[in-house]
Amino acid sequence: MKFTSVEKGCIPPCNVAPNSLMGVPRVQTNPSRWHGDGWQGFVEELKSKGVVVREEKWERSIFVTDAGGLAFGLPHGVVRPSSSEDVSKVLIAAQTHLVPVITRGGGLSSEGEAIAFGGLLLDMTSMNRVLEVDRENMTVRTEAGIFWHQLAEVLRRDGLDYLSAPLNMTSTVGGVLGVGGIDINSPRLGCSADQALALRVVTPTGEIVECSGSENSDLFERVLLGYGQFGVITEATMKIRPFTHIKMRYLYYSSLRTAIEDLQLIVREDASDYSGILTVMDSAINLLVAFDSDGREQEFDARWRSRLRGHGEVSFGVRLALYYALHPWRIKEALYIVDRRMKMVPEFFRPEFMREGKIEDRTVVFSRAVWKFWGGRQMVIPDLSASAEKFIEAVERGNAVCRKYFRYYTLYCVGIKKMEDLPRYEMSCMPPGATDFAYGCEFEPMLKDKDYSRDYLQSFKNEIYDIGVDMGLSYYRFGGMMKGYIRRIFGDEMVDRHLEMKRKADPAMILNPDVIF
């Protein structure tokens, strides 16, 4: 398509025209803004049914971006539902008037998945009540818009706790069940979605359905890990457990390969209650192990500690000091590691959250640390999910990409227990070839509020995602701006089959239309 100087307001060649970067591929695209036809009739129908649509710009602007801070879009209006019936009314009207509806919880997506490029944004955080705590059966029924930290606060009044939840507790229950939810207890308990026993779901056509493993199981499996394509979760019944304090231990490594091998040993042998790897580049690798009881920790020391090759902090510090003494040209890196350690480690041992050497409230500790040390106005967190056999190579290749693009970065590695061969795992964070366990790694640069072009950051992400394509892996955060990789990783046959299911469930293709398909 050619533009004249009148059309573009400048004389060709125009440096802002779509073809201005001839020979330079654009590596990021956002969906085009919805044109708005049918909006007024949609709003009027909802008004007649008692559903308030907020169209003020200040209301809409709250949701202009997500935690990634790279994609931006503005809805035409916002609805904060108070019930499943409200959600049903919205989706019935949306099918009639062909209005896209984007659901949003905590907005912690990093690829624009929770951003509305026009249409309606459904802010689910208004549905945030805990409905029932069943101590006898160890379950909780809650509205899906509740933040995980709110759920934890309610449960802990009765000495109870969630099972597997995301590391960042400012996400919502419904949003996490739709994408997976990975944490340091996922090696034992699986992802958050695996803790769901039953759901109330509003389908894209507005039907309110109760579903579980035994009732409407097809919908249950499609909605869990379904990335918001097959329905809106409005209520969830999940497993819970008694609350315990946890004891954290750290082992330090200078080799990614060695640390991952030890992590896989711990996961495979169920040697701890929690485990994961967190690094400062590939220079200081920390293997975290934690325990719910003194007995578990004692068993770990007796059976497994001698088989692990990590060092204590003091001995590792000496080794690191010697290394940098012999490599003085890397002194800035050494100073960064020291500064990172001095600021970050005390956050995990703040006295107000500790009792007799144990963390009393990991919810607060982890969420504070996540936002303080990894948050910012821009976040890029591409990830890879692999079988045990492919994981080390995937992390080492991803680490090399991080080194290429950024001076400072961190890796976060964790195991994920696979619960049988469930339909929900197809086209999800569970990669092909994974048997008992899968493993995931996030690659996160420390942007430190520096300005990077979106193309530069997207180029970095694409190189990580290309590793997944090359090795036949998966991702546990996908959609939005990286949805072009979905066909490349899963193949046309699988994606087309899911697309056909989507079209059958959502005839007008209005529910979260820019996320996957």
Side-chain angles (χ1 to χ4, degrees):
M1 181 177 181
K2 295 183 179 180
F3 292 87
T4 67
S5 58
V6 173
E7 289 173 316
K8 295 303 297 178
C10 55
I11 299 174
C14 178
N15 63 357
V16 296
N19 63 351
S20 62
L21 297 177
M22 296 297 292
V24 181
R26 299 289 293 184
V27 293
Q28 174 177 329
T29 57
N30 288 334
S32 58
R33 182 168 171 79
W34 178 64
H35 48 71
D37 290 349
W39 173 254
Q40 200 56 47
F42 171 72
V43 172
E44 290 172 0
E45 179 175 336
L46 289 181
K47 183 178 179 180
S48 70
K49 294 179 178 180
V51 177
V52 177
V53 181
R54 304 305 301 263
E55 298 181 84
E56 301 88 344
K57 189 170 183 179
W58 67 268
E59 285 271 15
R60 297 182 288 128
S61 297
I62 295 171
F63 307 101
V64 71
T65 190
D66 59 7
L70 295 177
F72 294 84
L74 199 64
H76 283 73
V78 176
V79 165
R80 295 184 174 89
S82 59
S83 66
S84 300
E85 288 72 21
D86 282 352
V87 177
S88 174
K89 293 171 185 176
V90 165
L91 293 177
I92 290 171
Q95 290 285 338
T96 300
H97 298 278
L98 305 182
V99 174
V101 176
I102 291 76
T103 55
R104 180 171 173 130
L108 296 185
S109 60
S110 59
E111 299 286 345
E113 307 97 304
I115 296 173
F117 300 94
L120 183 80
L121 187 135
L122 197 61
D123 178 12
M124 294 300 296
T125 61
S126 54
M127 295 183 64
N128 56 20
R129 297 175 300 155
V130 174
L131 302 173
E132 181 184 12
V133 177
D134 185 344
R135 177 181 283 275
E136 181 178 351
N137 293 307
M138 295 302 284
T139 63
V140 61
R141 185 166 66 94
T142 180
E143 291 183 324
I146 193 170
F147 294 112
W148 282 93
H149 71 84
Q150 292 176 303
L151 176 62
E153 289 165 9
V154 173
L155 291 174
R156 288 172 189 176
R157 295 170 193 162
D158 295 320
L160 301 171
D161 205 358
Y162 54 80
L163 266 71
S164 179
L167 200 61
N168 194 325
M169 304 295 286
T170 59
S171 53
T172 59
V173 165
V176 169
L177 296 184
V179 300
I182 311 298
D183 194 6
I184 55 175
N185 55 11
S186 292
R188 297 198 78 208
L189 302 171
C191 61
S192 303
D194 292 322
Q195 312 313 317
L197 297 172
L199 304 172
R200 174 173 287 182
V201 173
V202 182
T203 70
T205 55
E207 184 181 2
I208 301 173
V209 181
E210 305 289 344
C211 58
S212 65
S214 58
E215 180 184 8
N216 298 309
S217 59
D218 287 346
L219 179 62
F220 185 68
E221 290 293 331
R222 289 277 72 87
V223 172
L224 293 175
L225 290 163
Y227 295 87
Q229 297 302 295
F230 298 98
V232 179
I233 301 172
T234 57
E235 292 181 16
T237 301
M238 298 181 295
K239 304 172 190 174
I240 56 176
R241 60 176 175 170
F243 173 75
T244 59
H245 300 167
I246 69 170
K247 177 70 175 293
M248 303 269 282
R249 298 265 295 272
Y250 300 97
L251 302 174
Y252 295 88
Y253 300 76
S254 56
S255 163
L256 268 175
R257 178 173 289 265
T258 302
I260 293 172
E261 288 173 348
D262 280 2
L263 171 67
Q264 291 184 327
L265 171 66
I266 290 171
V267 170
R268 188 171 59 248
E269 300 295 341
D270 189 29
S272 70
D273 294 312
Y274 311 83
S275 60
I277 287 174
L278 192 62
T279 79
V280 183
M281 292 94 72
D282 55 3
S283 303
I285 297 112
N286 168 239
L287 172 57
L288 152 74
V289 291
F291 309 92
D292 282 322
S293 67
D294 294 337
R296 285 282 287 172
E297 184 180 15
Q298 291 164 6
E299 181 184 8
F300 170 82
D301 285 333
R303 296 186 60 190
W304 307 112
R305 178 62 186 91
S306 62
R307 295 180 58 178
L308 304 179
R309 292 160 286 178
H311 302 279
E313 185 176 14
V314 174
S315 61
F316 178 76
V318 171
R319 290 168 180 262
L320 208 62
L322 179 60
Y323 172 83
Y324 284 111
L326 297 174
H327 299 78
W329 56 90
R330 299 182 70 175
I331 188 63
K332 287 186 177 180
E333 182 176 289
L335 293 175
Y336 176 78
I337 293 173
V338 171
D339 178 72
R340 192 79 173 167
R341 185 260 175 253
M342 298 303 291
K343 291 179 178 177
M344 185 170 64
V345 172
E347 289 294 324
F348 290 96
F349 295 96
R350 291 174 67 95
E352 62 266 40
F353 304 128
M354 303 294 294
R355 295 293 183 274
E356 299 178 353
K358 298 180 180 180
I359 296 177
E360 186 172 50
D361 193 339
R362 66 184 183 278
T363 300
V364 176
V365 172
F366 291 166
S367 285
R368 288 180 83 261
V370 165
W371 279 120
K372 185 169 184 177
F373 294 102
W374 289 276
R377 52 190 176 83
Q378 286 184 331
M379 288 194 296
V380 290
I381 321 175
D383 56 61
L384 297 171
S385 180
S387 63
E389 295 75 19
K390 294 182 177 182
F391 188 55
I392 292 177
E393 180 186 349
V395 174
E396 289 179 336
R397 289 177 62 175
N399 179 74
V401 174
C402 291
R403 277 277 181 189
K404 172 182 173 181
Y405 279 86
F406 301 100
R407 174 173 290 182
Y408 306 120
Y409 59 90
T410 187
L411 312 180
Y412 172 51
C413 305
V414 70
I416 315 165
K417 186 175 182 178
K418 184 177 181 181
M419 306 293 185
E420 306 174 10
D421 289 319
L422 298 170
R424 72 187 68 162
Y425 292 144
E426 191 174 65
M427 225 172 88
S428 79
C429 62
M430 201 60 66
T435 52
D436 296 329
F437 300 96
Y439 292 85
C441 182
E442 296 179 348
F443 304 88
E444 184 172 2
M446 298 290 99
L447 302 182
K448 303 175 71 172
D449 286 330
K450 290 184 179 179
D451 290 322
Y452 292 88
S453 73
R454 292 197 298 172
D455 278 359
Y456 186 83
L457 296 176
Q458 193 65 34
S459 295
F460 159 68
K461 292 191 289 183
N462 284 1
E463 288 204 33
I464 298 292
Y465 297 142
D466 285 343
I467 296 169
V469 174
D470 183 57
M471 294 183 64
L473 311 180
S474 186
Y475 316 98
Y476 59 91
R477 179 187 290 103
F478 66 75
M481 290 184 291
M482 62 82 65
K483 69 180 181 180
Y485 279 87
I486 294 174
R487 284 190 178 274
R488 296 176 62 192
I489 198 72
F490 294 111
D492 287 338
E493 181 181 352
M494 182 182 294
V495 176
D496 285 342
R497 180 158 48 83
H498 281 250
L499 177 57
E500 184 59 32
M501 289 190 290
K502 167 68 170 174
R503 286 173 174 155
K504 185 176 180 180
D506 185 359
M509 297 291 283
I510 51 89
L511 182 59
N512 298 308
D514 297 316
V515 175
I516 299 294
F517 301 109

